[in-house]
Amino acid sequence: MAPGVKRALPWAGGIGIGLAVGLGAFVLAPAPPPRFVERAPDAAKIVEQVREGLRAQGVLPVLAARDVAVVEAKSGEFMFETRRTLVMPGQVRYLLDLRAIGPRDVRWDAATRTLHLVLPPIALAGPQVDLAAAREFGEGGLLSGLSDAGEQLDAANRLAAQNQLIRSAHAPGAQAAARGAARRLVGALFAAPLRAAGVTPRLDIRFADEPR
């Protein structure tokens, strides 16, 4: 064998051993742990899931208001005059039909992180009168002793008291309070799961019967 070839063999052997060791280390080395890419939460999907969940709940009471009606009725004149005054407390409830919130009433704006929501009009339940706490006062003339005028006036007062309670429930201030309560309740129901997913939403909530 030529001298040059003999001198090259040890180097070649060393290179071969080095490559074998390097390849073995590469094969035996543990693979790096996989890198997990964190995905942004799908806020629009969360909003739709909340909407479907609320629809399943049906009707949501948003506010209960108690009021007292004071009415007076009279019949006859002078010595035949009969008066009846009724003080009757009652309660009305303001309800929100969650089943009426359709897909078009809910919109998520990803650019501004704003939830646009249109709620159905507030419904009124009642009044539920408290007859046990009602008080009647009367002054009877001769007519009350000769007829059922007193009973007729009492019946008229009860009807008038119920109508007064309904009118009070429809007053602008009472309606504004009920709508404010509905906005807070429904807004919180939508916002809670979004915040849990790391999204802080802006809320734009209005009622279908409100002007834009």
Side-chain angles (χ1 to χ4, degrees):
M1 183 178 293
V5 175
K6 290 181 179 180
R7 289 194 299 268
L9 286 176
W11 288 99
I15 293 173
I17 294 173
L19 288 174
V21 172
L23 290 173
F26 178 78
V27 172
L28 297 176
R35 296 180 63 186
F36 295 97
V37 179
E38 185 177 354
R39 295 183 178 180
D42 190 343
K45 185 176 181 180
I46 294 174
V47 167
E48 178 58 21
Q49 290 173 344
V50 174
R51 186 190 70 84
E52 288 292 342
L54 292 182
R55 281 173 55 86
Q57 296 300 318
V59 178
L60 175 68
V62 297
L63 185 67
R66 189 173 177 85
D67 198 2
V68 178
V70 180
V71 295
E72 182 184 68
K74 66 178 183 177
S75 65
E77 295 181 353
F78 303 112
M79 61 183 304
F80 298 100
E81 184 179 79
T82 301
R83 291 176 177 268
R84 287 288 191 274
T85 300
L86 174 64
V87 179
M88 186 172 71
Q91 178 178 279
V92 295
R93 293 186 303 150
Y94 298 89
L95 309 175
L96 187 66
D97 189 356
L98 301 175
R99 297 167 297 185
I101 304 177
R104 295 183 179 181
D105 298 322
V106 181
R107 182 172 61 87
W108 173 254
D109 187 340
T112 62
R113 293 191 173 189
T114 301
L115 172 63
H116 300 277
L117 178 60
V118 180
L119 298 179
I122 294 287
L124 188 67
Q128 182 179 0
V129 298
D130 188 356
L131 293 177
R135 295 292 181 266
E136 290 181 317
F137 308 92
E139 297 177 1
L142 293 178
L143 185 61
S144 63
L146 301 175
S147 67
D148 59 351
E151 295 180 359
Q152 293 178 3
L153 293 179
D154 292 340
N157 271 343
R158 286 191 289 270
L159 179 59
Q162 291 184 22
N163 291 335
Q164 187 179 108
L165 291 172
I166 293 175
R167 287 194 301 271
S168 297
H170 282 288
Q175 289 287 318
R179 289 182 176 183
R183 283 190 178 95
R184 289 190 295 273
L185 284 174
V186 178
L189 292 174
F190 273 97
L194 287 170
R195 291 195 178 99
V199 180
T200 301
R202 297 178 179 178
L203 300 177
D204 173 30
I205 304 176
R206 68 178 184 87
F207 288 84
D209 57 349
E210 286 181 329
R212 291 182 179 273

